[in-house]
Amino acid sequence: MIKLMDITWDNFEAVRTLRPTYEQSAFTLDNATFMAQGYLNLKSGYLDTLKAISFQDKPIGFVKWVYVPKNVKPYHLSFDATMIDA
């Protein structure tokens, strides 16, 4: 079964080192960068959520979503938004 799971010290390294395929790499950043952004966003008060995507309890992917109110740094959007990175 595919499910979302919390990122813990037990699976951190497995999630951090997951890599997109060559074709996907033009459209996304590596997981370590997304995880660092999530940490900085949480420290800045944004509502970031970071989860591992798992199959049979083994990390196979990563997803990050964040709610960003309009007109806030560093995004400066003209509207409220929820951004999803996977």
Side-chain angles (χ1 to χ4, degrees):
M1 173 191 310
I2 294 177
K3 63 182 179 178
L4 297 179
M5 61 191 292
D6 289 335
I7 298 170
T8 66
W9 285 115
D10 292 331
N11 63 17
F12 173 80
E13 195 63 22
V15 175
R16 185 191 68 79
T17 58
L18 288 170
R19 298 283 181 250
T21 65
Y22 176 78
E23 294 81 11
Q24 294 168 326
S25 64
F27 304 102
T28 189
L29 301 172
D30 62 90
N31 290 351
T33 300
F34 280 133
M35 294 167 92
Q37 287 175 342
Y39 173 79
L40 293 172
N41 278 343
L42 288 170
K43 295 289 279 183
S44 298
Y46 298 119
L47 301 176
D48 260 40
T49 301
L50 297 91
K51 295 284 185 177
I53 302 168
S54 68
F55 177 71
Q56 298 178 344
D57 294 324
K58 179 183 178 204
I60 61 168
F62 173 80
V63 64
K64 174 177 100 71
W65 63 94
V66 58
Y67 169 74
V68 179
K70 67 179 179 179
N71 298 321
V72 296
K73 293 179 183 179
Y75 301 100
H76 302 289
L77 301 173
S78 60
F79 50 87
D80 294 342
T82 299
M83 297 187 287
I84 301 172
D85 301 306

